[in-house]
Amino acid sequence: MGTKRILVVGATGFVGLHVVDSLLAAGYSVRATRRPRSITLLLRRRDVELVPASLEDPEALRAAMVGCDAVCFCAAHYPRYSLHPEAAIATATEGARAIVEAALAAGISRVVVTGSIASVGPAPEGRAADERDVFVSPPVESVYGQVKWYVERELDRGRERGLEIVSLMAGACFGPGDLRLGTNGILAAMLAGALPWWVDGYVNVTDVRDVAQAHVAALECPKPLPRYALPGRTVRVGALFRWLALRYQVKAPALELSADDAVARADREERLAEPKRERVLWPRELVDLVTHGRRVSGTAALRDLGFAPAEVGETFDQAAVWLVTNVLAPARRREERRP
Amino acid sequence: MNMDQNEWRTKVTALIAEIRELDAATIMGESRLREDLGMDSLNSLELLSGLGEQFKLDLPIEDALALVTVDDACVFVMAAWKAQHGAGA
């Protein structure tokens, strides 16, 4: 029997790229889908087979899966704005359904999905939240949370039809390689001293490479759970910013907003940004994630997937060096830092 | 493949036109990518990625964001092509 071949959908994205690296390091052969305008700069430096496919093209998706043993789905819909819930939910649901249908048709043995910690709801008194606490109905407070909830429901439907799906509900991913400045945009803005305001709450800082490694472990785990929370380290946002400011000798954002003001501000900034499809530093999604953030336990992921979160300092250092090297953040007294 | 500067410019212009959904005829050599053509850093990465694929080049990201005009982009990709595929290749 030859090397196992894995299809990665979303390999040109931040998490997907690291999943590709982890798979290659573990000895798998990797096929990756790409869209016509995908940014393939980093992916083309890897030994992967690139095939054109998209979630909107069921036949191409199925064809891409044929000959693969398993699929990593790292392309669940990420709504840039929280302004149009129905449309975002529809896109996300259709995307997840497309993966399930194609995987069933192609006889795929297992699908590992990059999910979000936003799907983890409150825990009963006396313990931290984990994968057992997935919301039973869409969380009203967050469009992003609703989108992720509908994706999980679609995956459940796939499970009911006999497809083995492992959903990895990752925290906020930091690390090198975030070309599109998603979550790492906050760090880039901080390094540039351009973060205008902040809102307090909990954030689960996760190293993208730990998340990628967990995808490989989830492919190999003999009897995985349907879901795992991958929380990384739970920290207070205010404390994190003060710590980053000290570490990188930059200013912490001065203006602290209340949760209500932050929501209003994020909504306003998104409405202004939308016509030009610009990104905002603090999207509503992130405000919701932080203000409704909670401590989450990764015990099951540690037990079954060996998910042992990296030291947060190392994660941020490597993310920061990558941003500076690729001029996505300004260089600034790098030698002198460290508290 | 031995293209002169005009041919390079045609190819680069066509890609920019596609990314920004512009009429290629309105894009000049001296057009500034950011100010005149409205390209943000993500568009620059798309341009770099597209050129890299078209000409089978590995282009460094850190250089892409320093490009100011369409001509800069042409010179950049021509130089990379020469360096990676050799003179007379």
Side-chain angles (χ1 to χ4, degrees):
Chain A
M1 193 174 136
T3 313
K4 280 195 171 178
R5 183 187 287 134
I6 312 297
L7 180 76
V8 182
V9 180
T12 60
F14 176 44
V15 174
L17 184 74
H18 286 281
V19 169
V20 166
D21 283 348
S22 292
L23 287 167
L24 291 173
Y28 290 95
S29 150
V30 177
R31 181 182 290 168
T33 60
R34 50 92 36 98
R35 293 162 173 276
R37 280 183 50 189
S38 290
I39 296 174
T40 57
L41 286 169
L42 300 176
L43 194 57
R44 284 195 305 119
R45 294 177 187 163
R46 274 85 174 159
D47 182 21
V48 299
E49 179 196 356
L50 272 170
V51 297
S54 78
L55 298 174
E56 296 84 40
D57 185 346
E59 185 42 44
L61 201 57
R62 193 197 59 80
M65 289 185 189
V66 170
C68 292
D69 297 281
V71 172
C72 289
F73 177 42
C74 315
H77 183 52
Y78 179 100
R80 180 175 296 196
Y81 312 115
S82 300
L83 301 170
H84 311 290
E86 291 81 11
I89 288 166
T91 305
T93 304
E94 284 158 21
R97 191 178 301 148
I99 288 290
V100 167
E101 293 295 344
L104 284 168
I108 291 295
S109 65
R110 187 178 291 184
V111 179
V112 177
V113 180
T114 318
S116 167
I117 204 105
S119 301
V120 179
E125 198 71 36
R127 66 165 175 84
D130 62 28
E131 44 283 316
R132 290 169 291 180
D133 305 308
V134 167
F135 284 105
V136 289
S137 57
V140 287
E141 69 272 11
S142 163
V143 171
Y144 176 77
Q146 289 164 31
V147 164
K148 294 301 162 188
W149 187 87
Y150 279 97
V151 169
E152 291 297 331
R153 289 297 76 73
E154 207 53 47
L155 300 179
D156 279 340
R157 288 195 189 97
R159 290 180 182 111
E160 284 159 16
R161 292 169 66 193
L163 184 60
E164 189 172 30
I165 303 175
V166 185
S167 169
L168 302 177
M169 301 179 294
C173 289
F174 288 90
D178 192 1
L179 267 184
R180 292 169 174 272
L181 289 181
T183 314
N184 289 268
I186 286 278
L187 179 62
M190 177 97 190
L191 293 172
L195 208 53
W197 54 272
W198 65 287
V199 59
D200 211 359
Y202 283 110
V203 61
N204 290 284
V205 174
T206 313
D207 192 302
V208 68
R209 289 156 299 184
D210 291 338
V211 171
Q213 203 53 52
H215 282 70
V216 177
L219 285 174
E220 294 172 349
C221 182
K223 277 184 87 88
L225 297 174
R227 297 187 174 81
Y228 291 94
L230 304 183
R233 307 272 180 196
T234 311
V235 291
R236 293 290 296 183
V237 171
L240 177 65
F241 281 148
R242 283 193 297 279
W243 179 83
L244 287 170
L246 210 59
R247 193 172 183 93
Y248 300 119
Q249 299 290 300
V250 292
K251 272 194 293 196
L255 181 62
E256 182 185 356
L257 298 183
S258 68
D260 286 349
D261 287 349
V263 162
R265 178 120 178 205
D267 283 347
R268 193 168 69 238
E269 288 179 5
E270 287 191 0
R271 276 194 296 271
L272 286 172
E274 192 189 24
K276 291 188 190 164
R277 301 290 301 157
E278 286 171 349
R279 297 194 87 120
V280 296
L281 284 177
W282 273 102
R284 169 70 191 271
E285 156 256 311
L286 200 55
V287 170
D288 291 337
L289 209 56
V290 161
T291 54
H292 296 279
R294 55 179 58 85
R295 291 198 178 278
V296 177
S297 161
T299 308
L302 173 64
R303 182 195 63 213
D304 293 357
L305 310 178
F307 177 74
E311 203 259 305
V312 174
E314 213 162 284
T315 301
F316 280 112
D317 282 356
Q318 290 180 25
V321 166
W322 189 86
L323 289 168
V324 169
T325 309
N326 291 287
V327 295
L328 294 164
R332 183 183 295 245
R333 299 164 69 183
R334 272 198 283 151
E335 288 71 34
E336 296 168 30
R337 65 157 180 254
R338 287 196 180 264
Chain B
M1 183 162 57
N2 235 333
M3 301 198 299
D4 66 22
Q5 195 155 357
N6 279 333
E7 289 173 274
W8 282 104
R9 188 186 289 171
T10 308
K11 303 240 183 214
V12 171
T13 305
L15 198 52
I16 293 172
E18 191 189 321
I19 291 168
R20 292 297 304 152
E21 294 172 24
L22 296 168
D23 177 357
T26 65
I27 302 173
M28 304 294 150
E30 62 273 17
S31 299
R32 291 169 302 175
L33 300 172
R34 206 162 281 259
E35 295 85 347
D36 300 331
L37 304 175
M39 288 183 63
D40 59 15
S41 58
L42 204 55
N43 292 148
S44 298
L45 292 172
E46 282 183 72
L47 174 64
L48 200 68
S49 183
L51 290 171
E53 286 195 35
Q54 211 172 102
F55 301 113
K56 306 210 179 329
L57 298 170
D58 184 17
L59 300 171
I61 298 158
E62 59 269 32
D63 293 342
L65 302 173
L67 303 174
V68 178
T69 65
V70 173
D71 276 343
D72 289 348
C74 296
V75 170
F76 170 70
V77 71
M78 282 168 70
W81 195 85
K82 258 188 199 147
Q84 292 178 31
H85 295 293

Short mmCIF file of all heavy atoms in Angstrom, two decimals, chain B residues 29-89:
data_model
loop_
_atom_site.label_atom_id
_atom_site.label_comp_id
_atom_site.label_asym_id
_atom_site.label_seq_id
_atom_site.Cartn_x
_atom_site.Cartn_y
_atom_site.Cartn_z
N GLY B 29 1.93 52.60 -17.98
CA GLY B 29 3.16 52.18 -17.31
C GLY B 29 3.42 52.97 -16.04
O GLY B 29 3.90 52.43 -15.05
N GLU B 30 3.08 54.26 -16.11
CA GLU B 30 3.38 55.10 -14.94
C GLU B 30 2.23 55.12 -13.92
O GLU B 30 2.34 55.79 -12.88
CB GLU B 30 3.75 56.53 -15.36
CG GLU B 30 2.67 57.30 -16.09
CD GLU B 30 2.67 57.05 -17.62
OE1 GLU B 30 3.28 56.04 -18.06
OE2 GLU B 30 2.06 57.83 -18.36
N SER B 31 1.16 54.40 -14.21
CA SER B 31 0.04 54.34 -13.25
C SER B 31 0.55 53.77 -11.93
O SER B 31 1.25 52.77 -11.90
CB SER B 31 -1.08 53.43 -13.76
OG SER B 31 -1.59 53.91 -14.97
N ARG B 32 0.15 54.45 -10.84
CA ARG B 32 0.55 53.96 -9.52
C ARG B 32 -0.44 52.90 -9.05
O ARG B 32 -1.65 53.11 -9.12
CB ARG B 32 0.63 55.13 -8.53
CG ARG B 32 1.78 56.08 -8.84
CD ARG B 32 1.66 57.34 -8.03
NE ARG B 32 0.38 58.01 -8.31
CZ ARG B 32 -0.05 59.10 -7.66
NH1 ARG B 32 0.68 59.63 -6.70
NH2 ARG B 32 -1.20 59.65 -7.97
N LEU B 33 0.10 51.79 -8.59
CA LEU B 33 -0.74 50.64 -8.24
C LEU B 33 -1.74 51.01 -7.15
O LEU B 33 -2.91 50.66 -7.24
CB LEU B 33 0.15 49.49 -7.76
CG LEU B 33 1.17 48.97 -8.78
CD1 LEU B 33 2.11 47.97 -8.13
CD2 LEU B 33 0.46 48.32 -9.98
N ARG B 34 -1.26 51.71 -6.15
CA ARG B 34 -2.09 52.00 -4.99
C ARG B 34 -3.02 53.19 -5.25
O ARG B 34 -4.24 53.06 -5.22
CB ARG B 34 -1.15 52.30 -3.81
CG ARG B 34 -1.70 52.05 -2.45
CD ARG B 34 -0.57 51.97 -1.44
NE ARG B 34 0.09 50.69 -1.47
CZ ARG B 34 -0.14 49.72 -0.58
NH1 ARG B 34 -0.98 49.92 0.40
NH2 ARG B 34 0.48 48.57 -0.68
N GLU B 35 -2.40 54.33 -5.54
CA GLU B 35 -3.18 55.57 -5.65
C GLU B 35 -4.07 55.60 -6.88
O GLU B 35 -5.23 56.01 -6.82
CB GLU B 35 -2.26 56.79 -5.67
CG GLU B 35 -1.48 57.02 -4.37
CD GLU B 35 -0.19 56.22 -4.31
OE1 GLU B 35 -0.01 55.30 -5.16
OE2 GLU B 35 0.64 56.48 -3.44
N ASP B 36 -3.51 55.20 -8.06
CA ASP B 36 -4.26 55.33 -9.30
C ASP B 36 -5.16 54.12 -9.57
O ASP B 36 -6.24 54.26 -10.12
CB ASP B 36 -3.30 55.52 -10.49
CG ASP B 36 -2.44 56.76 -10.32
OD1 ASP B 36 -2.92 57.72 -9.68
OD2 ASP B 36 -1.30 56.77 -10.81
N LEU B 37 -4.68 52.94 -9.23
CA LEU B 37 -5.42 51.73 -9.59
C LEU B 37 -6.16 51.12 -8.41
O LEU B 37 -6.89 50.13 -8.57
CB LEU B 37 -4.46 50.71 -10.22
CG LEU B 37 -3.68 51.23 -11.44
CD1 LEU B 37 -2.69 50.19 -11.92
CD2 LEU B 37 -4.64 51.61 -12.56
N GLY B 38 -5.97 51.70 -7.22
CA GLY B 38 -6.73 51.26 -6.05
C GLY B 38 -6.35 49.88 -5.53
O GLY B 38 -7.15 49.21 -4.89
N MET B 39 -5.12 49.47 -5.80
CA MET B 39 -4.72 48.14 -5.32
C MET B 39 -4.32 48.21 -3.84
O MET B 39 -3.52 49.05 -3.45
CB MET B 39 -3.55 47.61 -6.15
CG MET B 39 -3.98 47.22 -7.53
SD MET B 39 -2.67 46.50 -8.52
CE MET B 39 -2.26 45.02 -7.64
N ASP B 40 -4.86 47.28 -3.04
CA ASP B 40 -4.42 47.19 -1.65
C ASP B 40 -3.37 46.07 -1.57
O ASP B 40 -3.00 45.48 -2.58
CB ASP B 40 -5.60 46.94 -0.71
CG ASP B 40 -6.36 45.67 -1.05
OD1 ASP B 40 -5.82 44.82 -1.80
OD2 ASP B 40 -7.48 45.50 -0.56
N SER B 41 -2.88 45.81 -0.35
CA SER B 41 -1.79 44.84 -0.24
C SER B 41 -2.23 43.44 -0.68
O SER B 41 -1.46 42.68 -1.25
CB SER B 41 -1.25 44.81 1.19
OG SER B 41 -2.28 44.49 2.08
N LEU B 42 -3.51 43.14 -0.46
CA LEU B 42 -4.01 41.83 -0.88
C LEU B 42 -4.00 41.72 -2.40
O LEU B 42 -3.62 40.69 -2.96
CB LEU B 42 -5.43 41.64 -0.33
CG LEU B 42 -5.88 40.21 -0.16
CD1 LEU B 42 -4.93 39.43 0.71
CD2 LEU B 42 -7.28 40.17 0.43
N ASN B 43 -4.40 42.81 -3.09
CA ASN B 43 -4.35 42.83 -4.55
C ASN B 43 -2.92 42.66 -5.04
O ASN B 43 -2.66 41.98 -6.04
CB ASN B 43 -4.91 44.15 -5.10
CG ASN B 43 -6.39 44.32 -4.87
OD1 ASN B 43 -6.87 45.42 -4.70
ND2 ASN B 43 -7.13 43.23 -4.87
N SER B 44 -1.96 43.29 -4.34
CA SER B 44 -0.56 43.15 -4.73
C SER B 44 -0.11 41.69 -4.62
O SER B 44 0.63 41.20 -5.47
CB SER B 44 0.35 43.99 -3.82
OG SER B 44 0.03 45.35 -3.95
N LEU B 45 -0.59 41.03 -3.59
CA LEU B 45 -0.24 39.61 -3.42
C LEU B 45 -0.90 38.77 -4.52
O LEU B 45 -0.30 37.82 -5.02
CB LEU B 45 -0.66 39.11 -2.05
CG LEU B 45 0.13 39.71 -0.86
CD1 LEU B 45 -0.50 39.31 0.46
CD2 LEU B 45 1.59 39.29 -0.90
N GLU B 46 -2.12 39.15 -4.89
CA GLU B 46 -2.78 38.45 -6.00
C GLU B 46 -2.00 38.62 -7.29
O GLU B 46 -1.81 37.67 -8.06
CB GLU B 46 -4.20 38.99 -6.21
CG GLU B 46 -5.22 38.50 -5.22
CD GLU B 46 -6.61 39.03 -5.54
OE1 GLU B 46 -7.21 38.57 -6.52
OE2 GLU B 46 -7.08 39.94 -4.83
N LEU B 47 -1.51 39.85 -7.50
CA LEU B 47 -0.72 40.14 -8.70
C LEU B 47 0.55 39.29 -8.70
O LEU B 47 0.90 38.64 -9.70
CB LEU B 47 -0.37 41.63 -8.75
CG LEU B 47 0.57 42.09 -9.85
CD1 LEU B 47 -0.06 41.87 -11.23
CD2 LEU B 47 0.93 43.58 -9.69
N LEU B 48 1.22 39.29 -7.57
CA LEU B 48 2.46 38.54 -7.44
C LEU B 48 2.23 37.05 -7.68
O LEU B 48 2.99 36.38 -8.39
CB LEU B 48 2.98 38.77 -6.02
CG LEU B 48 4.44 38.50 -5.75
CD1 LEU B 48 5.28 39.53 -6.46
CD2 LEU B 48 4.71 38.54 -4.25
N SER B 49 1.15 36.56 -7.07
CA SER B 49 0.82 35.14 -7.19
C SER B 49 0.52 34.79 -8.65
O SER B 49 1.00 33.78 -9.19
CB SER B 49 -0.38 34.84 -6.30
OG SER B 49 -0.71 33.48 -6.33
N GLY B 50 -0.27 35.65 -9.31
CA GLY B 50 -0.63 35.42 -10.71
C GLY B 50 0.58 35.44 -11.63
O GLY B 50 0.72 34.60 -12.52
N LEU B 51 1.46 36.42 -11.42
CA LEU B 51 2.68 36.51 -12.24
C LEU B 51 3.57 35.29 -12.00
O LEU B 51 4.14 34.73 -12.94
CB LEU B 51 3.45 37.80 -11.91
CG LEU B 51 2.79 39.11 -12.34
CD1 LEU B 51 3.55 40.30 -11.76
CD2 LEU B 51 2.72 39.20 -13.86
N GLY B 52 3.67 34.91 -10.75
CA GLY B 52 4.49 33.75 -10.39
C GLY B 52 4.02 32.49 -11.10
O GLY B 52 4.80 31.71 -11.61
N GLU B 53 2.68 32.33 -11.16
CA GLU B 53 2.13 31.13 -11.80
C GLU B 53 2.32 31.19 -13.31
O GLU B 53 2.71 30.21 -13.95
CB GLU B 53 0.65 31.01 -11.47
CG GLU B 53 0.40 30.55 -10.06
CD GLU B 53 -1.02 30.07 -9.86
OE1 GLU B 53 -1.59 29.48 -10.79
OE2 GLU B 53 -1.55 30.32 -8.76
N GLN B 54 2.05 32.37 -13.87
CA GLN B 54 2.11 32.51 -15.32
C GLN B 54 3.52 32.26 -15.86
O GLN B 54 3.70 31.64 -16.89
CB GLN B 54 1.65 33.92 -15.69
CG GLN B 54 0.98 34.01 -17.04
CD GLN B 54 0.36 35.39 -17.25
OE1 GLN B 54 0.92 36.20 -17.95
NE2 GLN B 54 -0.77 35.64 -16.64
N PHE B 55 4.51 32.76 -15.12
CA PHE B 55 5.89 32.69 -15.61
C PHE B 55 6.75 31.68 -14.84
O PHE B 55 7.96 31.65 -14.98
CB PHE B 55 6.53 34.08 -15.56
CG PHE B 55 5.79 35.08 -16.39
CD1 PHE B 55 5.13 36.14 -15.80
CD2 PHE B 55 5.72 34.94 -17.77
CE1 PHE B 55 4.43 37.06 -16.57
CE2 PHE B 55 5.03 35.85 -18.54
CZ PHE B 55 4.38 36.91 -17.95
N LYS B 56 6.08 30.88 -14.00
CA LYS B 56 6.78 29.86 -13.21
C LYS B 56 7.94 30.46 -12.43
O LYS B 56 9.10 30.06 -12.55
CB LYS B 56 7.26 28.71 -14.11
CG LYS B 56 6.16 28.10 -14.95
CD LYS B 56 6.39 26.65 -15.25
CE LYS B 56 5.29 26.00 -16.06
NZ LYS B 56 3.94 26.51 -15.86
N LEU B 57 7.59 31.46 -11.63
CA LEU B 57 8.60 32.15 -10.82
C LEU B 57 8.24 32.04 -9.34
O LEU B 57 7.06 31.99 -9.00
CB LEU B 57 8.63 33.65 -11.18
CG LEU B 57 9.01 34.01 -12.60
CD1 LEU B 57 8.75 35.48 -12.85
CD2 LEU B 57 10.48 33.67 -12.85
N ASP B 58 9.28 32.00 -8.51
CA ASP B 58 9.05 32.11 -7.08
C ASP B 58 9.38 33.54 -6.69
O ASP B 58 10.54 33.95 -6.70
CB ASP B 58 9.96 31.11 -6.33
CG ASP B 58 9.69 31.14 -4.83
OD1 ASP B 58 8.63 31.65 -4.43
OD2 ASP B 58 10.54 30.65 -4.07
N LEU B 59 8.36 34.34 -6.42
CA LEU B 59 8.57 35.76 -6.18
C LEU B 59 8.48 36.07 -4.68
O LEU B 59 7.54 35.64 -4.02
CB LEU B 59 7.51 36.57 -6.93
CG LEU B 59 7.52 36.36 -8.45
CD1 LEU B 59 6.30 37.01 -9.09
CD2 LEU B 59 8.79 36.92 -9.07
N PRO B 60 9.47 36.80 -4.16
CA PRO B 60 9.47 37.11 -2.73
C PRO B 60 8.38 38.12 -2.36
O PRO B 60 8.25 39.16 -3.02
CB PRO B 60 10.86 37.69 -2.48
CG PRO B 60 11.37 38.13 -3.81
CD PRO B 60 10.64 37.35 -4.86
N ILE B 61 7.62 37.79 -1.33
CA ILE B 61 6.49 38.63 -0.91
C ILE B 61 6.97 40.02 -0.49
O ILE B 61 6.33 41.03 -0.79
CB ILE B 61 5.77 37.99 0.29
CG1 ILE B 61 5.21 36.64 -0.11
CG2 ILE B 61 4.65 38.88 0.80
CD1 ILE B 61 4.96 35.74 1.06
N GLU B 62 8.12 40.04 0.21
CA GLU B 62 8.55 41.33 0.79
C GLU B 62 8.81 42.37 -0.30
O GLU B 62 8.75 43.58 -0.03
CB GLU B 62 9.76 41.15 1.71
CG GLU B 62 10.99 40.55 1.06
CD GLU B 62 11.04 39.04 1.18
OE1 GLU B 62 9.96 38.42 1.20
OE2 GLU B 62 12.14 38.47 1.25
N ASP B 63 9.12 41.94 -1.52
CA ASP B 63 9.37 42.89 -2.59
C ASP B 63 8.08 43.43 -3.22
O ASP B 63 8.05 44.53 -3.77
CB ASP B 63 10.23 42.25 -3.69
CG ASP B 63 11.63 41.95 -3.18
OD1 ASP B 63 12.01 42.54 -2.15
OD2 ASP B 63 12.32 41.12 -3.79
N ALA B 64 7.03 42.64 -3.13
CA ALA B 64 5.79 42.99 -3.84
C ALA B 64 5.19 44.28 -3.31
O ALA B 64 4.71 45.11 -4.07
CB ALA B 64 4.77 41.87 -3.70
N LEU B 65 5.24 44.44 -2.00
CA LEU B 65 4.55 45.57 -1.40
C LEU B 65 5.33 46.87 -1.59
O LEU B 65 4.84 47.95 -1.31
CB LEU B 65 4.29 45.29 0.08
CG LEU B 65 3.47 44.01 0.31
CD1 LEU B 65 3.36 43.66 1.78
CD2 LEU B 65 2.08 44.11 -0.30
N ALA B 66 6.58 46.76 -2.11
CA ALA B 66 7.38 47.95 -2.34
C ALA B 66 7.18 48.50 -3.76
O ALA B 66 7.65 49.58 -4.08
CB ALA B 66 8.86 47.63 -2.11
N LEU B 67 6.48 47.75 -4.61
CA LEU B 67 6.28 48.19 -6.00
C LEU B 67 5.33 49.39 -6.02
O LEU B 67 4.28 49.36 -5.38
CB LEU B 67 5.70 47.06 -6.84
CG LEU B 67 6.51 45.76 -6.86
CD1 LEU B 67 5.74 44.69 -7.61
CD2 LEU B 67 7.88 45.98 -7.50
N VAL B 68 5.70 50.42 -6.77
CA VAL B 68 4.86 51.63 -6.79
C VAL B 68 4.05 51.72 -8.08
O VAL B 68 2.84 51.92 -8.05
CB VAL B 68 5.74 52.90 -6.62
CG1 VAL B 68 4.86 54.15 -6.69
CG2 VAL B 68 6.48 52.87 -5.28
N THR B 69 4.70 51.55 -9.23
CA THR B 69 3.99 51.71 -10.50
C THR B 69 3.90 50.40 -11.29
O THR B 69 4.55 49.40 -10.93
CB THR B 69 4.72 52.72 -11.40
OG1 THR B 69 6.00 52.16 -11.73
CG2 THR B 69 4.93 54.06 -10.70
N VAL B 70 3.12 50.44 -12.35
CA VAL B 70 3.00 49.28 -13.25
C VAL B 70 4.37 48.95 -13.84
O VAL B 70 4.76 47.78 -13.93
CB VAL B 70 1.97 49.57 -14.36
CG1 VAL B 70 1.95 48.45 -15.39
CG2 VAL B 70 0.58 49.77 -13.75
N ASP B 71 5.12 49.98 -14.21
CA ASP B 71 6.46 49.74 -14.76
C ASP B 71 7.36 49.05 -13.74
O ASP B 71 8.15 48.17 -14.09
CB ASP B 71 7.11 51.07 -15.20
CG ASP B 71 6.65 51.46 -16.61
OD1 ASP B 71 6.13 50.57 -17.32
OD2 ASP B 71 6.81 52.64 -16.98
N ASP B 72 7.24 49.45 -12.46
CA ASP B 72 8.01 48.77 -11.40
C ASP B 72 7.73 47.27 -11.42
O ASP B 72 8.63 46.44 -11.31
CB ASP B 72 7.63 49.30 -10.01
CG ASP B 72 8.15 50.70 -9.77
OD1 ASP B 72 8.98 51.17 -10.57
OD2 ASP B 72 7.72 51.34 -8.77
N ALA B 73 6.45 46.95 -11.52
CA ALA B 73 6.04 45.55 -11.51
C ALA B 73 6.63 44.81 -12.71
O ALA B 73 7.10 43.67 -12.59
CB ALA B 73 4.52 45.43 -11.49
N CYS B 74 6.66 45.48 -13.88
CA CYS B 74 7.22 44.87 -15.10
C CYS B 74 8.71 44.60 -14.93
O CYS B 74 9.21 43.50 -15.22
CB CYS B 74 7.02 45.78 -16.31
SG CYS B 74 5.30 46.03 -16.72
N VAL B 75 9.42 45.61 -14.44
CA VAL B 75 10.87 45.47 -14.26
C VAL B 75 11.17 44.36 -13.26
O VAL B 75 12.05 43.53 -13.46
CB VAL B 75 11.48 46.82 -13.78
CG1 VAL B 75 12.92 46.65 -13.34
CG2 VAL B 75 11.36 47.87 -14.87
N PHE B 76 10.36 44.33 -12.20
CA PHE B 76 10.53 43.35 -11.14
C PHE B 76 10.37 41.92 -11.67
O PHE B 76 11.20 41.05 -11.45
CB PHE B 76 9.50 43.64 -10.03
CG PHE B 76 9.38 42.58 -8.98
CD1 PHE B 76 10.40 42.37 -8.06
CD2 PHE B 76 8.23 41.80 -8.87
CE1 PHE B 76 10.29 41.41 -7.07
CE2 PHE B 76 8.11 40.83 -7.89
CZ PHE B 76 9.13 40.64 -7.00
N VAL B 77 9.32 41.72 -12.45
CA VAL B 77 9.05 40.35 -12.93
C VAL B 77 10.05 39.96 -14.04
O VAL B 77 10.48 38.81 -14.12
CB VAL B 77 7.57 40.19 -13.36
CG1 VAL B 77 7.25 40.92 -14.62
CG2 VAL B 77 7.20 38.73 -13.48
N MET B 78 10.47 40.94 -14.85
CA MET B 78 11.49 40.65 -15.88
C MET B 78 12.80 40.23 -15.23
O MET B 78 13.46 39.27 -15.66
CB MET B 78 11.74 41.90 -16.75
CG MET B 78 10.67 42.13 -17.80
SD MET B 78 10.84 43.78 -18.54
CE MET B 78 12.33 43.57 -19.49
N ALA B 79 13.19 40.96 -14.18
CA ALA B 79 14.45 40.66 -13.49
C ALA B 79 14.38 39.27 -12.85
O ALA B 79 15.33 38.48 -12.93
CB ALA B 79 14.73 41.73 -12.43
N ALA B 80 13.24 38.99 -12.24
CA ALA B 80 13.07 37.68 -11.59
C ALA B 80 13.13 36.57 -12.63
O ALA B 80 13.72 35.51 -12.41
CB ALA B 80 11.75 37.65 -10.83
N TRP B 81 12.52 36.84 -13.79
CA TRP B 81 12.50 35.81 -14.84
C TRP B 81 13.92 35.53 -15.35
O TRP B 81 14.31 34.39 -15.51
CB TRP B 81 11.59 36.26 -15.99
CG TRP B 81 11.26 35.11 -16.89
CD1 TRP B 81 10.24 34.22 -16.73
CD2 TRP B 81 11.95 34.73 -18.08
NE1 TRP B 81 10.26 33.29 -17.73
CE2 TRP B 81 11.29 33.58 -18.58
CE3 TRP B 81 13.06 35.22 -18.76
CZ2 TRP B 81 11.71 32.93 -19.73
CZ3 TRP B 81 13.47 34.57 -19.92
CH2 TRP B 81 12.79 33.43 -20.40
N LYS B 82 14.67 36.59 -15.54
CA LYS B 82 16.05 36.44 -16.00
C LYS B 82 16.88 35.67 -14.97
O LYS B 82 17.66 34.79 -15.30
CB LYS B 82 16.70 37.83 -16.21
CG LYS B 82 16.74 38.21 -17.69
CD LYS B 82 17.54 39.47 -17.91
CE LYS B 82 17.20 40.09 -19.26
NZ LYS B 82 17.26 41.54 -19.24
N ALA B 83 16.69 36.03 -13.71
CA ALA B 83 17.48 35.40 -12.65
C ALA B 83 17.13 33.92 -12.50
O ALA B 83 18.00 33.09 -12.29
CB ALA B 83 17.24 36.13 -11.33
N GLN B 84 15.84 33.59 -12.68
CA GLN B 84 15.43 32.22 -12.39
C GLN B 84 15.43 31.31 -13.62
O GLN B 84 15.55 30.10 -13.49
CB GLN B 84 14.05 32.20 -11.72
CG GLN B 84 14.12 32.81 -10.31
CD GLN B 84 12.77 32.86 -9.61
OE1 GLN B 84 11.90 32.01 -9.83
NE2 GLN B 84 12.59 33.86 -8.76
N HIS B 85 15.29 31.89 -14.80
CA HIS B 85 15.28 31.04 -16.00
C HIS B 85 16.51 31.26 -16.87
O HIS B 85 16.67 30.61 -17.89
CB HIS B 85 14.00 31.27 -16.81
CG HIS B 85 12.78 30.84 -16.08
ND1 HIS B 85 12.51 29.53 -15.78
CD2 HIS B 85 11.76 31.55 -15.54
CE1 HIS B 85 11.37 29.45 -15.11
NE2 HIS B 85 10.90 30.66 -14.95
N GLY B 86 17.36 32.21 -16.47
CA GLY B 86 18.64 32.39 -17.14
C GLY B 86 18.54 33.17 -18.42
O GLY B 86 17.53 33.13 -19.12
N ALA B 87 19.59 33.91 -18.75
CA ALA B 87 19.64 34.66 -20.00
C ALA B 87 19.65 33.66 -21.15
O ALA B 87 20.32 32.64 -21.09
CB ALA B 87 20.88 35.52 -20.02
N GLY B 88 18.87 33.95 -22.18
CA GLY B 88 18.84 33.10 -23.37
C GLY B 88 18.04 31.83 -23.17
O GLY B 88 18.03 30.95 -24.02
N ALA B 89 17.38 31.70 -22.02
CA ALA B 89 16.57 30.50 -21.77
C ALA B 89 15.33 30.54 -22.63
O ALA B 89 14.88 31.60 -23.03
CB ALA B 89 16.17 30.44 -20.30
#
